[in-house]
C-alpha cells in the first residue's frame, strides 16, 4: 500500500530564515506530487505540482520554491521566510488522474 | 475556468441528526471528476469519494451518501445519524481529465460541528 510522509510535523521559524519541508511517498512509482498551503480557517491553495523528476509547475508567485530530486521526493523551500508564509502545508500525491492522497501536514509558524 | 462553491461555511447539528453538505460546481469540461474530502482536527485530508461525471448513480457508504445531479451541477453529501466523530471540515473538489497535472479545484470547505 502507498504511504506519504511529511516532516517536520511542526516548525517555528523567525522571519528571514530559510525553510525546507520534505515529502516522500512510498509504494508507488512516478506519482504526481503537490504542495498546498492552508491558512488558518481557510481553504486549500495549490502552490506547486510536479508530474516527474525535475518538473515543477508553480501556481502562485511567491518566495517559495519546490524541487523534486527523486521520483518520490518533493521538497518545499524558501530562502527567506515572511510572516505571511505561516500556515499548514500539505503534500499530496496522485496517480493517473485519480484522487489525491494527502500527507499529515506541517504546521509552520513564522515569528 | 473551474469553480467549486460550498455555500455553507459552518453547520452545527446535534448528534443523531441528519445533515447535508452542499456543493455546486462550474466547469466547461464534458467529463470530469468530483470528490469529497474530510479534514478532522488533526489536519490531514482524508479522501472519501470520487465520482466520474458520466456516472450519475448516487452512492451510499454506511452513514454517508452522495447525490450527484449533473442537471444542477451539484454533488451533495449527506451524513445520516451524525456522530461527534463526524465533526470536521469537509471539502468538495473538482478535477479535470484534461489538465496534465490532474489538479483539483477545491471549494472553501464546510465546517461541521456535531454536538453531543
Amino acid at each position: 500500500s502507498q504511504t506519504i510522509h511529511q516532516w517536520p510535523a511542526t516548525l517555528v521559524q523567525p522571519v528571514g530564515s530559510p525553510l525546507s519541508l520534505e515529502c516522500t511517498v512510498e509504494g508507488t512509482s512516478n506519482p504526481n506530487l503537490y504542495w498546498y498551503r492552508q491558512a488558518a480557517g481557510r481553504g486549500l491553495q495549490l502552490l506547486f505540482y510536479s508530474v516527474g523528476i525535475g518538473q515543477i509547475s508553480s501556481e502562485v508567485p511567491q518566495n517559495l520554491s519546490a524541487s523534486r530530486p527523486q521520483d518520490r521526493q518533493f521538497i518545499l523551500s524558501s530562502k527567506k521566510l515572511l510572516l505571511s508564509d505561516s500556515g499548514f502545508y500539505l503534500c499530496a500525491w496522485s496517480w493517473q488522474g485519480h484522487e489525491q492522497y494527502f500527507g499529515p501536514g506541517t504546521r509552520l509558524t513564522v515569528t | 475556468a473551474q469553480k467549486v462553491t460550498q455555500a455553507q461555511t459552518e453547520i452545527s447539528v446535534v448528534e443523531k441528526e441528519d445533515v447535508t453538505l452542499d456543493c455546486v460546481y462550474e466547469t466547461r469540461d464534458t467529463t470530469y471528476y468530483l470528490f469529497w474530502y474530510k479534514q478532522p482536527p488533526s489536519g490531514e485530508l482524508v479522501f472519501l469519494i470520487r465520482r466520474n461525471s458520466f456516472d450519475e448513480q448516487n452512492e451510499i457508504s454506511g452513514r454517508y451518501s452522495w447525490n450527484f445531479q449533473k442537471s444542477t451541477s451539484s454533488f451533495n453529501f449527506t451524513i445520516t445519524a451524525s456522530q461527534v466523530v463526524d465533526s470536521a471540515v469537509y471539502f468538495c473538489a473538482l478535477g479535470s481529465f484534461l489538465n496534465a497535472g490532474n489538479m483539483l479545484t477545491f471549494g472553501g470547505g464546510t465546517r461541521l460541528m456535531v454536538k453531543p
Side-chain angles (χ1 to χ4, degrees):
Chain A
S1 66
Q2 299 84 15
T3 310
I4 180 168
H5 302 279
Q6 279 188 250
W7 63 90
T10 60
L11 192 58
V12 180
Q13 292 282 93
V15 168
S17 63
L19 173 73
S20 181
L21 302 181
E22 190 163 341
C23 169
T24 59
V25 182
E26 295 176 358
T28 185
S29 294
N30 197 30
N32 287 349
L33 295 171
Y34 310 85
W35 278 112
Y36 289 87
R37 178 169 59 200
Q38 187 178 30
R42 304 291 296 276
L44 294 161
Q45 178 187 35
L46 178 64
L47 302 175
F48 301 94
Y49 70 93
S50 170
V51 299
I53 296 174
Q55 300 178 61
I56 308 295
S57 296
S58 173
E59 288 295 298
V60 182
Q62 61 229 322
N63 69 318
L64 299 173
S65 62
S67 61
R68 185 171 177 174
Q70 300 180 47
D71 182 41
R72 289 170 287 182
Q73 184 184 30
F74 204 23
I75 297 171
L76 182 70
S77 304
S78 174
K79 292 182 180 177
K80 287 185 179 181
L81 284 168
L82 306 173
L83 283 174
S84 57
D85 292 324
S86 293
F88 189 52
Y89 288 81
L90 287 157
C91 181
W93 72 273
S94 73
W95 194 75
Q96 293 197 348
H98 294 169
E99 55 276 6
Q100 292 181 16
Y101 292 96
F102 287 79
T106 295
R107 204 164 297 279
L108 172 66
T109 304
V110 182
T111 59
Chain B
Q2 301 192 319
K3 186 177 178 183
V4 176
T5 302
Q6 295 180 253
Q8 307 148 308
T9 55
E10 209 165 283
I11 301 176
S12 181
V13 299
V14 176
E15 209 170 16
K16 297 185 183 175
E17 285 184 11
D18 298 347
V19 58
T20 295
L21 310 182
D22 298 332
C23 173
V24 174
Y25 63 92
E26 296 174 29
T27 180
R28 292 183 179 178
D29 294 345
T30 53
T31 52
Y32 47 88
Y33 293 109
L34 292 162
F35 306 83
W36 275 96
Y37 286 85
K38 174 182 180 178
Q39 187 177 37
S42 62
E44 180 176 346
L45 264 79
V46 178
F47 165 73
L48 295 178
I49 189 171
R50 179 190 69 188
R51 173 61 68 208
N52 301 331
S53 57
F54 44 84
D55 179 4
E56 286 195 67
Q57 259 192 329
N58 292 329
E59 179 146 347
I60 298 175
S61 175
R63 296 185 297 108
Y64 294 172
S65 62
W66 290 270
N67 182 280
F68 176 33
Q69 299 222 336
K70 214 167 178 177
S71 60
T72 56
S73 297
S74 65
F75 186 43
N76 297 337
F77 173 28
T78 297
I79 302 175
T80 302
S82 60
Q83 300 176 2
V84 172
V85 293
D86 296 327
S87 297
V89 180
Y90 291 86
F91 290 95
C92 180
L94 170 66
S96 170
F97 282 78
L98 300 178
N99 72 71
N102 304 123
M103 292 171 288
L104 301 182
T105 300
F106 282 86
T110 297
R111 181 177 299 277
L112 173 65
M113 292 176 290
V114 181
K115 299 177 181 177

